[in-house]
């Protein structure tokens, strides 16, 4: 059974920082891309925040460039999102996503359960 478990969300004032973590566990052999998406209040779709390939190449949404940093620890099967200079527009449920590779060489994308980030004074 595969799980992606997120942590680190919460309430923060504008201009503050938070660090999200997402750890993958289960019967897979490796992880390709890991990333973070978010769904803002009242919006039906999740939007990409940042992704990082197994080789470490990051990709960011324009709205978070220069403020957010994605990183991963392959030994721990964990991806992180350091969020600085947070704005009220960053308020959303943040979801972890990972492409897991299995012994059969097939791969599937999995989602975490989501963690709430609220930016408010």
């Amino acid at each position: 059974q595969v799980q992606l478990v997120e942590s680190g969300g919460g309430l923060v004032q504008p201009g503050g920082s938070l660090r999200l973590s997402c750890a993958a566990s289960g019967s897979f052999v490796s992880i390709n891309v890991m990333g973070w998406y978010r769904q803002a209040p009242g919006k039906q779709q999740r939007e990409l925040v940042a992704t990082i390939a197994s080789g470490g190449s990051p990709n960011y949404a324009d709205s978070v460039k220069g403020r957010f940093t994605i990183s991963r620890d392959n030994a721990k099967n964990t991806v992180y999102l350091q969020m600085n200079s947070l704005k009220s527009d960053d308020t959303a449920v943040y979801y972890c996503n990972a492409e897991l590779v299995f012994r059969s060489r097939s791969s599937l994308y999995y989602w975490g359960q989501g963690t709430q980030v609220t930016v408010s004074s």
Side-chain angles (χ1 to χ4, degrees):
Q1 184 177 356
V2 171
Q3 275 191 313
L4 297 181
V5 179
E6 298 140 340
S7 61
L11 173 64
V12 64
Q13 291 186 342
S17 299
L18 280 176
R19 188 191 194 210
L20 305 183
S21 300
C22 172
S25 62
S27 56
F28 54 87
V29 296
S30 64
I31 306 176
N32 287 339
V33 178
M34 303 186 81
W36 292 94
Y37 292 72
R38 66 187 181 187
Q39 186 168 3
K43 293 193 175 181
Q44 292 189 336
Q45 289 191 331
R46 297 176 186 178
E47 63 173 5
L48 180 145
V49 177
T51 61
I52 185 166
S54 58
S57 300
N59 175 53
Y60 297 98
D62 288 343
S63 59
V64 306
K65 281 181 182 177
R67 300 187 299 121
F68 291 10
T69 302
I70 190 170
S71 61
R72 62 189 284 175
D73 185 334
N74 291 329
K76 295 182 179 180
N77 294 324
T78 299
V79 62
Y80 306 95
L81 186 68
Q82 178 66 43
M83 304 185 293
N84 299 329
S85 302
L86 282 160
K87 308 174 182 178
S88 57
D89 287 348
D90 296 317
T91 295
V93 178
Y94 284 70
Y95 295 91
C96 173
N97 180 269
E99 183 187 9
L100 306 181
V101 182
F102 300 91
R103 191 166 300 184
S104 62
R105 298 188 181 181
S106 63
S107 65
L108 291 171
Y109 286 89
Y110 285 82
W111 292 94
Q113 80 283 1
T115 185
Q116 177 69 47
V117 172
T118 302
V119 184
S120 175
S121 55

